Amino acid sequence: MESMLLGKRVLRAVGMCALLALAVCRVAYAQVEVTGTVTSASGSNLQGVTVRIRGTNTTTTTGADGKYSISAAADAVLVFNAIGYKGVGQALNGRTTVDVVLEPSVAVLPEVVVTGYMEEQRKNMTGAGTSVDAQSIQRQTGASALQALDGRAAGVTIDNSGSPGSRTTVRIRGISSFQNNDPLYVIDGTPVQDTYLNFLNPDDIASVEVLKDASAASIYGSRASNGVILIETKRGKPGRRQVTLDVTTGVASPVNGYDNIVITNSLDYFKVVKTAFRNAGEKPPANIYGDSANPSVPAFIWPNNGSSQTTDTLNTASYSYPNNLIMPGSAGTNWWKAVFGTGQVRNANLSVSGGGDDNSYLVSFNYLNQQGTAAYTLYQRGGVRINTKFTMSRVTVGENLQINREQSYGGLDDNGLGEDNIVGKNIFQQPVVPIFDIAGNFASGKAPGLSNLSNPLMIATVGQHDVNTNDRMFGNVFGTLDASHGFSLTTRFGFNLDQNNFHSFSGITPENAEPSFNDGINENYNLFTEWTWSNTLNYARSFAKHNLTVLLGQEATKNTNRFEAASCANLLTTDVSERYIQDALCDPTTKNVSSVGSIASLMSFFGKADYNYAERYFLNVTVRRDGSSRLGPSHRWGTFPAVGLGWRVSNESFYPQNFFFSSMMLRAGFGITGNQLIPPDRIVSQLGGDRGATFYDISGGSKTVITPGFQITAIGNPNLKWEENRSLNVGVDLEFNQGKGSFSADVYNRKSNNLLFAPALPATAGAAAPPIVNIGKMQNKGYDLSLAYKGVIAGSTFWSVSVNGVHYHNEITKINGTAYIFYPTNIIRDQNPVINMIGQPIGAFYGLVADGYYKDSLDAAPYWADGARPGRIKFKDLNGDGHITSADRAIIGSPHPTFTGGLDLGLRHGNWDLSATFFATLGNKIFNEEKYWYVFRYFDTNVRQDLLANSVVLNGPCNDVQGVCPGVVTNPGAKYPRLDANDAFSRQFSSYWVENGAYLRLRNIQIGYNLPTALIRWIPAARVYLQAENLFTITGYSGLDPSLPAPDVTGPAGDVRDQYLGIDQGVYPSNRTITIGISTSF
Amino acid sequence: MKTRKWNMLLIGTAIATLAVGVASACKDFLNTAPQGVLNEDALATPDGVEGLLIAAYRDLDCNNSSVGAWGCAASNWVWGSVPSGDAHKGSNLGDQAPIFEIETYLWSAGDVQDYLNQKWSQVYDGIARANATIRLLNKVIAAGGLDSGSVQAHGIRGEAIFLRAHYHFEAYRLWENIPYYTENNTDFKSSNQNVQVIDSIVTDLNTAEKLLAAGPRNGDAGRASAWTARAYKGRVYAYAAAKNVAYWDSAKATLDQVVSSGPYALETSFDHVWTAFTQYQNGPETILAYQASVRDGEPNGENSNFGERLNFPYAGSHFGCCGFHQPTFNLLDFFQVDANGLPLAETDPNWNNPAPTAVIPTSDTGNIWKGFNFIGGNPRPVDPRVDWTAGRDQVPYKDWGLHNRSWIRDASYSGPYSPKKNVQEDAANGENNVGWVPTQTNDVNIHIFRYADLLLLLAEADIATGNVDLARGFVNQIRARAGQTAQGCGINTSDPNQAAAVADELNAYPTCAGQTSMTVTLNQVGTIDSVTTPWAVYRIGTYATPWTDPVAALQAVKMERRLELAMEGQRFFDLRRWGDADTVVANYVAIEKNRIPYLAGASFGARNHLYPIPAIQIELSKVGSTDMLVQNPGW
């Protein structure tokens, strides 16, 4: 025992000495310039081979002539790597010329991309695809790996809110459907329809490939019409065991706060109220601030004494909760600061990988803990991934498996949207309302005039134990048989098991203007099971200059879902430990349970042939045939063909040898993809009965028995058929300046036909959910560009820049039947700001057209009966009928950008590296629905700080009576209409609500330092870095954050969020996150 | 080597077999059964048809409208009460702004559209459900599941046709120009032009009358009977008479038959009409009511008086929210009576107080409603119905103690009064226990058509057909009933939370000691009934002198209608029917605007006679570029 320990110590000491010696020696050796040529076994010069000095990040690549040059220490070891070749290491030992011959490798290396049941070389792709650097995925601190696509993949747009664990919405090349535009995700070969991908640990991801056009994606035909995102997780590589540990910690704060926008001083706020009442001919309320000529902060805002609160003296001893609350007045509550602050982010990832001749493995462990910037919101995720592969002669078997748990605390809506949560309208509590009453219980606007909103900190506090738990087992097992002669067979069984439990509590709110004395709990449980079994046969053969790959396959998928919900009210105690649905713990007569479920299946057959001649002429042909249980029996099978053509011009003999463009590939593809992602079971009419909708107390007078009733709840359509997307793509890939630069451009035209949607029927058809129909056509035209360049300064400073840009133009080109328009389903406070209309993009903003302000009573007179008054917003009478009505509405803007772009910068000098990513969007409009509150003061909310100073002023009085209104507008260019408590006219949805949504944001900046190998003896290699996300934003948008997540809206046809793009309904703002991290590998 | 080949062959065969197996199973694989829903076959039974019929009744009030259910409330308070001068929107300035626009006749405003659409959608869903019932009934009969001549088949068909007539009538009252849908009309883009709506409603009611039995089927109080259909037909004729006076003959004949042979009668006292006491619900006065239900297992209380849920006193009260549908000063003043207990408005042109000068107050002090209140040195005698209709300060509010100013959300916005008819009595145990503010969801049935209403329509018909003094009898019948009981001191002492209210009341009114009844009986002396309570002098008289002048008689009937049916969502439709809307609204606004400043801008124009058809329904009705629904004049 003793001796063993001693031995270890000796060994360690020796090791240390050796390391020290190395470090010392290193200083002693001078830098030398090493040159050489890399050739293939067949003798041709290899271009693009990476030459790296072992133990450093110093690299170079070989030119077209296979030559390289690098400055290295005389004792350095050079490592040569190239795709498709086995790596080679060469110790310099004083040499200055090192020529290397690389042997072909069968190992899969990154530049080979997985493009649908098979792998192919990126340079041979004829379809439009984009790869995302795995490093950039790990460069962000959010829970979702998809956030990394933001600004980094041409043709892909991303949005999400700052809420921890919020859903990330990904759109590829515009929007092709009225519902469900999520791309298909394929993770390690297993398709996922559930697009809430937060269960996936970003650190586990090896590569992300985006298939954007039909010729690339149609092998996934049935579900590929919105594009396909292929995600491959990291695998072990044969060789030594490698252990990596990445630890990140940081702090997040909101990029902007409402306290920068709304008033935080009570008396300043009252000035607005007073002016609004006076201008309306109403007496300013005196109950809170006393004499409006000389207002003061009240001693108490509740109890309401009916006149003035300012002189009130109360017996505060009479306070009792919840029946007799006493709330002091506040000189100015900063409600934003009361709820929002900083949140910590912590992430740790450990992975062990390696392999032998016949196996490879990777096991990784991850824990993420992300506090929200809003009080009591938290997301945490822990998981393990196991990827292994065993090769036994001609048979390979393996699995990719992950098991993890996600938990969200704080009960926020998905994306943190809407009026009723801590971010929405509740942040607009008036500044005079204190956070707490005199006894430390939550206060709110109970007194008249203080708005019927809840205390946002109360909502956050009460919801802190609301937990959403997601347990997921996801992955696949596979087996491959190399059947020789170029044939191989693969079978893969994928599974996606998710169980979700959510329980929440709602408390009493005696402090509210609309108090509630009933509390209650909800508990939901959801079980989702999906399996996908695919079998493929591959054949690859090269003869002479002909290269052929053929794939044949078959796939079946089935998913089942069951959702159970239960609730109970009036709890005996509110202890967290007693929030269970049991007769003894709540009022058993209020217990309520329900469950719903669905089953859907898909069956597919497919084939693909890739052929090229001498790597000059390329032809890809794909056919897929899919059957879906969601569609009508006679229409459920769809066929989705695609063809791709490519011409690598640079491989032609006539191509000039030293041309500026060293590589040139022209591509064209056409294909059809499908979409059937509608709720299941809509091919038949559904009947049902709901106690609140169809049951009725027909016998009269009873309190416990109610007679069941039935109605048609949804109208079915047995003729439902596939939505189809026809896409044409033409692209070019160029490399220039000896491969230092690359340029890629694609133009496309995507036409969707037989679009699936459930437009509203006339109300005369009844209230049943309308049938889903194949309703029309939509077109997306656009281009994606990317340009990258790598350079070297003075031989030791490496820089890179890459730019990508996206443009699409979305247009509804046909709506079937007789309708030329239809509305989405969601009404926002009695008004609807969007419409779908032929010739317009999906979700176009729709409303009256604002045209300044009515300048005097003469100007307003024609529309007086409609509510027009001097100083109110003037609307155009578009139909000329002499009235301003909803018939005067028109298209007033589009949420779609005309251009979005990303810019990635990289710089490396010695052990230091610096990178930055910018994102910009141009031409998109935002419908700022928050104007309801902070401009129009609907519901007595707080208002913008400059509202009083920048609103229209009349030079004389004007009350509501026509003919007694001498006032004339003195400042027609004012930002806001005249303050007028009775002005419901100006508040109508109009172009006044539409703002420019353009912005430029520094998404990410990171500075890293590679610790020299010998600096810390027990860490062979490590990189430490400091990074900032969303450091600054340049925008003209007046709201909180121009980066809006698509709201979470579901209609009869499923997810319809794309019809509500660009509507700001109160968004959990993006986070500015500063993190430090360390990555090590052993 | 050989083994390996065998292995490969085996594996290959296995995979191929599996693939073929899966492929051959694919037909069944794609036939997934819908989960958790019924299909029509499952309901193609007599019980299934009954269930569809129940759902058709359910639409008498909004359903499943957790947001904005007010536009389709069974009582029509938004459409029939608020714009008529009976009620203000209430609450405060910001809440439910579309009703402010409805009150000030700005019906073109964007956010009124949603309210209009709620009402349109509710009535046409009711029609769709009724027609679906009939279609399924026909299917079940055709399949031999039910004998077409059976009582059940007749009952189902008759009730469904009755409901269809009712829903169309609701639409007719708001929009007049509406499409009519029967079970055979499944083109949901029918025109609303030149539709003989009244004729169709009458036809349907005649059919229902023939099919239905005299009493409600199965003894279910909520069902329509032959008498319901007949009585309703009389109502429809009275509305038709507004366009063509010849209909008064039909109205009189029909209503006379109901009065002479029908099962209906007035409740013994007025407080039994709107009530949560089960024993008084569905009494003889009920012709058609929405049957509200509580504590029936629905987790949000949606089968209760959902459409009325906002119309309760505010935070200082037991109810807690939301102070909508507040009676106007004008309405309260209208309950003043003269020495004979007859409406002061009949004889005193200043019944509604002399108008103060129409000047916007410049001072910020003082409360603008002062001087218009009954309380405070001005105890003019009043019709006892006032304190069953409106909550006012210092007056007991049913059995909940004294109404006071803290029960009002913002008196400077829309006055100091609360609605009362729709409020449950504490002792009746009619409150809910789930959902948002369950103190405001109760099982007080919402009267859609009641016998007093019918009697007054008959009174109009008698006047129109030359039987002027017959009308007096019906009016007196109603006034005599109103003279039975007035609001009393009584507080529900079995409610432990009422101790403070009892103390408050005794403090204000020591004579209430020992007075436990919610009602007090009026002293009946000849043609005048009266009683004096600490808060009011109640007096009501009957018309003793025979009526001869049809104009004066009609005036008296109209007044009686307002007093009796106040806050029940009828007045605006009555004003329009009488052709009085322009003058009555103008007179009302001229004075009320001095108390409620926002009314200064209220201007009732010719186009306000009919509500605008919801714009979205016009757009959805397009066939080609033609609107099949044509907008009402002026909108």
Side-chain angles (χ1 to χ4, degrees), chain A residues 120 123-127 541-549 609-621 643-655 664-668:
Chain A
E120 64 183 299
K123 63 188 176 88
N124 291 351
M125 277 180 71
T126 57
R541 177 110 194 254
S542 296
F543 40 95
K545 290 180 172 177
H546 304 275
N547 302 302
L548 177 68
T549 329
D610 290 355
Y611 166 78
N612 73 66
Y613 176 75
E615 300 203 334
R616 285 210 291 268
Y617 311 107
F618 299 83
L619 170 68
N620 302 342
V621 180
V643 60
L645 296 169
W647 179 27
R648 185 166 295 280
V649 187
S650 52
N651 280 1
E652 294 286 358
S653 53
F654 59 77
Y655 196 80
M664 179 184 290
M665 172 86 161
L666 301 177
R667 297 177 277 107

Side-chain angles (χ1 to χ4, degrees), chain A residues 302-488:
Chain A
W302 185 262
N304 174 34
N305 69 5
S307 54
S308 168
Q309 304 288 119
T310 53
T311 54
D312 214 335
T313 52
L314 275 174
N315 174 15
T316 53
S318 68
Y319 180 95
S320 78
Y321 183 87
N323 295 315
N324 199 26
L325 304 182
I326 298 175
M327 302 179 207
S330 165
T333 302
N334 185 328
W335 283 100
W336 181 259
K337 287 273 179 348
V339 178
F340 279 84
T342 56
Q344 279 193 32
V345 190
R346 288 176 287 248
N347 188 22
N349 198 73
L350 173 71
S351 89
V352 182
S353 64
D357 291 341
D358 60 354
N359 69 80
S360 68
Y361 63 87
L362 176 139
V363 183
S364 81
F365 308 92
N366 169 255
Y367 177 72
L368 168 71
N369 181 305
Q370 187 184 8
Q371 283 180 340
T373 54
Y376 302 117
T377 58
L378 171 70
Y379 173 84
Q380 59 177 352
R381 176 181 63 208
V384 57
R385 164 169 293 280
I386 303 165
N387 291 349
T388 62
K389 194 159 94 172
F390 302 93
T391 307
M392 295 152 289
S393 172
R394 289 173 175 271
V395 176
T396 303
V397 295
E399 93 286 309
N400 305 295
L401 170 67
Q402 70 166 76
I403 301 169
N404 59 11
R405 162 166 287 191
E406 298 166 80
Q407 282 186 311
S408 295
Y409 288 81
L412 271 188
D413 299 349
D414 186 16
N415 294 337
L417 283 164
E419 283 180 26
D420 294 325
N421 65 44
I422 52 176
V423 194
K425 74 173 179 182
N426 295 300
I427 212 68
F428 297 135
Q429 280 270 8
Q430 294 183 8
V432 74
V433 177
I435 299 170
F436 300 106
D437 70 12
I438 61 164
N441 290 307
F442 287 110
S444 190
K446 203 173 177 80
L450 293 184
S451 92
N452 49 359
L453 310 176
S454 289
N455 181 324
L457 186 62
M458 180 277 294
I459 295 177
T461 308
V462 167
Q464 65 182 305
H465 302 293
D466 293 2
V467 189
N468 193 341
T469 305
N470 232 11
D471 287 337
R472 175 93 58 166
M473 184 152 63
F474 181 90
N476 57 65
V477 292
F478 59 89
T480 300
L481 172 72
D482 180 353
S484 77
H485 308 296
F487 286 97
S488 67

Side-chain angles (χ1 to χ4, degrees), chain A residues 847-869:
Chain A
L848 298 171
V849 179
D851 185 18
Y853 306 99
Y854 292 104
K855 65 179 193 290
D856 54 26
S857 58
L858 202 64
D859 197 18
Y863 306 105
W864 199 277
D866 300 318
R869 304 286 184 272

Side-chain angles (χ1 to χ4, degrees), chain B residues 222-259:
Chain B
R223 290 192 195 272
S225 68
W227 284 111
T228 320
R230 201 167 289 143
Y232 208 99
K233 191 171 65 181
R235 181 193 214 193
V236 173
Y237 281 139
Y239 272 77
K243 301 268 170 191
N244 176 358
V245 290
Y247 276 109
W248 279 125
D249 292 326
S250 312
K252 178 169 167 51
T254 308
L255 296 171
D256 267 340
Q257 193 194 0
V258 175
V259 170

Side-chain angles (χ1 to χ4, degrees), chain A residues 1054-1077:
Chain A
D1055 180 341
V1056 291
R1057 66 183 60 209
D1058 295 297
Q1059 299 183 40
Y1060 295 93
L1061 289 176
I1063 299 174
D1064 186 352
Q1065 292 187 74
V1067 171
Y1068 200 120
S1070 308
N1071 299 317
R1072 179 175 299 139
T1073 312
I1074 313 288
T1075 42
I1076 55 169

Side-chain angles (χ1 to χ4, degrees), chain A residues 517-582:
Chain A
F517 289 87
N518 293 67
D519 54 17
I521 47 175
N522 280 293
E523 196 158 338
N524 299 340
Y525 177 77
N526 194 66
L527 184 64
F528 175 80
T529 307
E530 181 170 60
W531 58 259
T532 303
W533 187 22
S534 55
N535 297 294
T536 51
L537 171 68
N538 273 286
Y539 174 71
R541 177 110 194 254
S542 296
F543 40 95
K545 290 180 172 177
H546 304 275
N547 302 302
L548 177 68
T549 329
V550 178
L551 169 82
L552 288 172
Q554 168 272 327
E555 184 171 87
T557 296
K558 187 167 196 169
N559 69 57
T560 58
N561 197 60
R562 197 172 188 101
F563 174 80
E564 289 153 18
S567 64
C568 199
N570 307 330
L571 307 179
L572 205 63
T573 87
T574 60
D575 285 359
V576 176
S577 57
E578 295 188 16
R579 292 179 189 169
Y580 289 87
I581 298 171
Q582 289 179 19

Side-chain angles (χ1 to χ4, degrees), chain A residues 39-268:
Chain A
T39 51
S40 69
S42 60
S44 60
N45 293 334
L46 287 177
Q47 179 187 1
V49 178
T50 307
V51 185
R52 183 164 168 269
I53 302 169
R54 180 179 282 170
T56 76
N57 270 359
T58 308
T59 63
T60 186
T61 49
T62 58
D65 52 0
K67 288 192 163 42
Y68 71 93
S69 158
I70 193 164
S71 174
D75 67 332
V77 176
L78 296 188
V79 181
F80 299 81
N81 275 305
I83 294 128
Y85 295 91
K86 286 179 178 165
V88 166
Q90 291 274 336
L92 286 185
N93 295 330
R95 290 185 293 168
T96 56
T97 305
V98 180
D99 294 332
V100 173
V101 177
L102 293 185
E103 290 184 14
S105 155
V106 287
V108 176
L109 287 162
E111 274 299 293
V112 174
V113 291
V114 179
T115 57
Y117 306 99
M118 59 194 287
E119 293 157 343
E120 64 183 299
Q121 292 190 38
R122 155 158 301 291
K123 63 188 176 88
N124 291 351
M125 277 180 71
T126 57
T130 299
S131 292
V132 180
D133 173 18
Q135 266 192 344
S136 72
I137 297 165
Q138 284 133 35
R139 213 189 282 161
Q140 44 93 35
T141 50
S144 172
L146 300 173
Q147 277 166 256
L149 296 170
D150 189 20
R152 293 193 179 97
V156 182
T157 56
I158 302 295
D159 57 38
N160 63 278
S161 83
S163 176
S166 81
R167 172 182 156 140
T168 302
T169 302
V170 176
R171 293 292 175 259
I172 298 171
R173 291 187 162 181
I175 288 155
S176 59
S177 298
F178 285 118
Q179 43 70 39
N180 246 316
N181 283 292
D182 286 320
L184 177 71
Y185 297 93
V186 180
I187 302 171
D188 293 329
T190 299
V192 191
Q193 271 181 330
D194 175 359
T195 58
Y196 185 82
L197 281 190
N198 280 1
F199 64 84
L200 201 61
N201 169 20
D203 281 317
D204 282 345
I205 292 173
S207 72
V208 176
E209 179 72 20
V210 183
L211 306 181
K212 297 185 286 193
D213 79 323
S215 73
S218 66
I219 189 71
Y220 292 105
S222 57
R223 290 175 284 178
S225 70
N226 301 311
V228 179
I229 295 183
L230 301 162
I231 297 172
E232 292 289 307
T233 60
K234 289 176 182 166
R235 310 271 156 76
K237 289 185 190 119
R240 234 189 112 213
R241 184 189 67 228
Q242 194 180 14
V243 180
T244 63
L245 176 67
D246 302 295
V247 181
T248 310
T249 182
V251 63
S253 55
V255 292
N256 195 5
Y258 272 125
D259 53 347
N260 293 328
I261 295 175
V262 300
I263 296 175
T264 51
N265 178 295
S266 298
L267 294 179
D268 286 350

